[in-house]
Amino acid sequence: MTDRERQMIESYLPHPRDPQLGQDEYYVLDTAGRVQHVRLSDIFPGRPGEDAEYGVRRVSDGMRIDAGLGDPFRGFAMFDLYDNRQDCKDRTHGCFNNWEYLRELQKKGEGT
């Protein structure tokens, strides 16, 4: 791991992944600014040169969470999805889609 990658991990991922999250489960901020525990339900491929977006449903009741874009075929970008509740509240990696790669580097660096 490079020094730059280490710095990015410290900045974008200050807290570890929440252990109660299952596979394909994340946290997002809803349009009212509340943290919601969600599961991925849809993938909306991006146009050429754009990243994919993800439709999500609340884990508690299965209701779809709107990304607030007014289009049912639009979803949350990866930078809107978090694997730690506090990081979601703090929006630690807003506008950085490749944060899961950093989480993998962090795991390898810890030897887990």
Side-chain angles (χ1 to χ4, degrees):
M1 176 181 340
T2 67
D3 286 338
R4 177 71 176 140
E5 290 168 336
R6 200 171 282 107
Q7 290 172 341
M8 291 175 73
I9 289 168
E10 289 174 13
S11 296
Y12 293 132
L13 303 172
H15 299 98
R17 177 178 169 80
D18 285 348
Q20 71 269 19
L21 291 178
Q23 185 172 354
D24 295 330
E25 290 184 1
Y26 297 92
Y27 296 107
V28 298
L29 286 177
D30 65 15
T31 55
R34 297 175 300 225
V35 175
Q36 299 286 336
H37 180 191
V38 299
R39 180 175 291 118
L40 298 183
S41 62
D42 307 295
I43 298 176
F44 304 112
R47 295 181 186 115
E50 293 181 1
D51 292 319
E53 294 178 349
Y54 302 89
V56 299
R57 295 186 178 274
R58 277 194 307 247
V59 170
S60 62
D61 61 10
M63 295 295 294
R64 183 169 162 72
I65 301 289
D66 186 8
L69 302 171
D71 181 349
F73 299 104
R74 298 287 306 261
F76 290 90
M78 184 52 72
F79 61 75
D80 290 320
L81 304 173
Y82 291 83
D83 65 357
N84 180 283
R85 181 178 290 275
Q86 187 61 46
D87 289 350
C88 184
K89 285 172 118 174
D90 297 341
R91 297 190 54 86
T92 59
H93 56 67
C95 296
F96 183 66
N97 273 334
N98 208 17
W99 64 268
E100 286 186 310
Y101 169 73
L102 294 177
R103 186 65 84 194
E104 289 301 317
L105 284 177
Q106 186 182 43
K107 282 183 194 176
K108 288 178 185 177
E110 294 171 354
T112 57

